[in-house]
């Protein structure tokens, strides 16, 4: 089958779907110029991101970690949502309360595009969390002070991000599990399929009876599992799903 055939088939399944769940990863943001987490252009001052995005790194040197996050915030602030983000918003508008978006991305570009029904399972770089009182708030100040503190209790703030070694928030995982088990189509966009628990979402949805469609620049470890795999850029392929079947 050609790519056009795959697109047509995907449209047909979407048209027949009662409920839709979407998972997005770094690939959809890469089309906006956001460096992928593991890409060569994601390196910073010879540090591996995996060595900075941990509770231990923050405890050891919070100033260094915040310097890295300030750099990332400054970079992301120059980027805009692309056609794939906007297509996801239109899909949400078509399904109204019958679609749920799960994103692994922390850049906030889905919210900037207008997505409202979503789980940011790894957090949001534009939110901070107090290490003392636990209050989560949005903060778009650029740059933040080297060691930002809570306005309520003066304790140190940290990025509202799920770091390596930390568990995803239970409430979000529960909501995602409901969406995966109750959808007719599960659309996976721009994710490598290697980071858990998101790497297991396709299996959950498929076992529950959903049609699983993957859109990615290259084949992934999930490609042999899914029902339909389309290779190409998210910004090019996702908008094509909006046309009638």
């Amino acid at each position: 089958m050609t790519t056009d055939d795959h697109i047509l088939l995907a449209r047909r399944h979407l048209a027949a779907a009662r409920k839709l769940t979407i998972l997005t990863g770094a690939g959809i943001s890469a089309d906006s110029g956001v460096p992928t987490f593991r890409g060569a252009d994601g390196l910073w001052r010879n540090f591996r991101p995996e060595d900075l995005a941990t509770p231990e790194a923050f405890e050891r040197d919070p100033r260094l970690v915040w310097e890295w996050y300030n750099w990332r915030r400054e970079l992301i602030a120059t980027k805009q949502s692309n056609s794939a983000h906007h297509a996801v918003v239109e899909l949400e508008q078509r399904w109204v309360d019958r679609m749920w978006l799960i994103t692994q991305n922390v850049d906030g570009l889905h919210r900037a595009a207008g997505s409202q029904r979503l789980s940011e399972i790894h957090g949001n770089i534009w939110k901070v969390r107090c290490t003392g009182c636990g209050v989560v708030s949005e903060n778009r100040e650029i740059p933040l002070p080297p060691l930002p503190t809570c306005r309520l209790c003066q304790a140190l703030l940290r990025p509202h991000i799920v770091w390596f070694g930390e568990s995803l928030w239970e409430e979000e995982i529960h909501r995602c599990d409901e969406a995966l088990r109750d959808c007719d189509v599960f659309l996976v966009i721009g994710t490598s399929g290697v980071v858990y628990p998101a790497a297991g979402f396709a299996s959950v949805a498929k076992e529950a009876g959903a049609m699983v469609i993957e859109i990615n620049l290259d084949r992934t470890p999930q490609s042999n599992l899914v029902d339909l795999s389309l290779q190409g850029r998210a910004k090019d392929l996702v908008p094509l799903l909006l046309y009638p079947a």
Side-chain angles (χ1 to χ4, degrees):
M1 294 178 69
T2 67
T3 299
D4 287 344
D5 292 331
H6 284 162
I7 289 291
L8 182 59
L9 186 57
R11 289 176 189 163
R12 288 173 178 169
H13 282 283
L14 282 170
R18 178 181 56 89
K19 289 191 176 181
L20 170 65
T21 298
I22 299 176
L23 170 68
T24 64
I28 194 170
S29 292
D31 285 345
S32 290
V34 178
T36 56
F37 193 78
R38 290 169 176 76
D41 54 356
L43 299 179
W44 178 78
R45 281 182 48 184
N46 298 318
F47 286 94
R48 296 171 66 247
E50 292 88 341
D51 293 335
L52 293 169
T54 68
E56 293 77 17
F58 190 70
E59 182 177 355
R60 182 173 58 249
D61 195 343
R63 183 180 295 268
L64 175 66
V65 173
W66 263 120
E67 185 180 348
W68 180 51
Y69 273 95
N70 265 324
W71 173 79
R72 292 181 66 190
R73 284 160 64 100
E74 289 174 355
L75 186 153
I76 292 170
T78 66
K79 311 304 178 185
Q80 295 183 339
S81 307
N82 61 60
S83 56
H85 293 102
H86 293 292
V88 169
V89 174
E90 185 163 340
L91 289 170
E92 178 181 314
Q93 292 169 346
R94 290 185 182 186
W95 267 263
V96 192
D97 61 349
R98 296 179 291 118
M99 196 205 92
W100 195 258
L101 169 62
I102 306 167
T103 184
Q104 298 169 274
N105 301 330
V106 302
D107 50 47
L109 290 180
H110 278 297
R111 289 191 184 276
S115 290
Q116 297 182 33
R117 293 175 54 80
L118 76 164
S119 293
E120 295 170 311
I121 60 173
H122 292 163
N124 187 312
I125 201 167
W126 301 110
K127 293 182 179 181
V128 294
R129 185 166 78 247
C130 179
T131 59
C133 63
V135 169
V136 176
S137 59
E138 183 171 335
N139 188 318
R140 291 185 170 268
E141 181 182 352
I142 299 177
L144 284 167
L147 292 173
T149 56
C150 177
R151 294 179 180 178
L152 298 176
C153 70
Q154 307 309 311
L156 183 63
L157 296 174
R158 57 161 283 178
H160 187 53
I161 302 289
V162 178
W163 284 330
F164 290 100
E166 295 182 324
S167 299
L168 271 62
W169 300 299
E170 186 175 344
E171 181 179 347
E172 290 288 3
I173 289 300
H174 178 71
R175 181 65 188 86
C176 293
D177 189 65
E178 285 184 338
L180 292 167
R181 296 182 185 278
D182 196 33
C183 66
D184 303 297
V185 172
F186 180 45
L187 181 58
V188 183
I189 305 169
T191 178
S192 63
V194 297
V195 178
Y196 282 86
F201 287 175
S203 295
V204 173
K206 194 172 178 65
E207 289 172 4
M211 169 82 173
V212 181
I213 303 171
E214 174 189 65
I215 294 177
N216 203 59
L217 192 57
D218 303 298
R219 290 183 64 82
T220 73
Q222 302 286 319
S223 297
N224 291 329
L225 167 71
V226 305
D227 299 290
L228 196 58
S229 181
L230 293 81
Q231 272 77 61
R233 292 191 176 280
K235 69 179 181 64
D236 298 327
L237 295 183
V238 180
L240 295 179
L241 301 180
L242 300 177
Y243 294 101

